[in-house]
Amino acid sequence: MIHLIREGMPVGKARARVRINYGKGTGDPKAWAYTPKTTSQAEEEWRWLFKLGHYQPFLEDVPLSMTVIAYVPDPMGKLDIDNIVKLICDSLGKGMAYKNDSQIVHLEAWKVKGEPRTEVLLTDKILEEKHD
């Protein structure tokens, strides 16, 4: 089981930004996409927390359960829970905590009123429920 806590206001995954530069002389436009700084910093913080905990990544054929609790001053505020989850999933994937976020077969996510922080619980213990 992996339990991570990131102090401070939860951060959601922001869309990539596109920058256009018109070349000198030719005036031909060149465009490139980049990740906003708040997103890249938060992703790096999640990876750092994982490393600091000396956790071992789950094997790639193991189904996982993830619980995310985002503590915020106003749970009905503008910060979307799906963007918070997406940032965490992308941060911990690619071999960090798991090979691919497709391994997450069970997900619970909550925004609750409280001192700003985000908690993540990741486990390979899946409750077997029958859904008909």
Side-chain angles (χ1 to χ4, degrees), residues 27-101:
D28 294 333
K30 289 187 178 185
W32 67 92
Y34 66 95
T35 302
K37 193 173 191 174
T38 55
T39 296
S40 59
Q41 285 177 338
E43 288 175 334
E44 187 55 38
E45 287 176 29
W46 283 112
R47 288 188 285 268
W48 181 82
L49 287 168
F50 179 82
K51 291 175 186 175
L52 189 65
H54 302 285
Y55 294 109
Q56 294 298 311
F58 290 99
L59 298 175
E60 66 181 283
D61 61 343
V62 174
L64 302 172
S65 174
M66 178 183 276
T67 301
V68 176
I69 306 171
Y71 294 89
V72 293
D74 178 14
M76 297 297 288
K78 293 183 177 187
L79 187 57
D80 293 341
I81 192 73
D82 60 322
N83 291 330
I84 296 169
V85 170
K86 181 66 175 157
L87 184 139
I88 294 165
C89 286
D90 288 352
S91 302
L92 298 177
K94 298 183 180 121
M96 180 64 64
Y98 44 81
K99 181 77 172 173
N100 191 301
D101 57 13

Side-chain angles (χ1 to χ4, degrees), residues 117-131:
R117 68 186 183 281
T118 310
E119 293 192 37
V120 174
L121 183 64
L122 190 60
T123 181
D124 58 355
K125 305 297 184 227
I126 308 294
L127 292 176
E128 295 293 331
E129 291 185 22
K130 197 167 198 168
H131 298 280

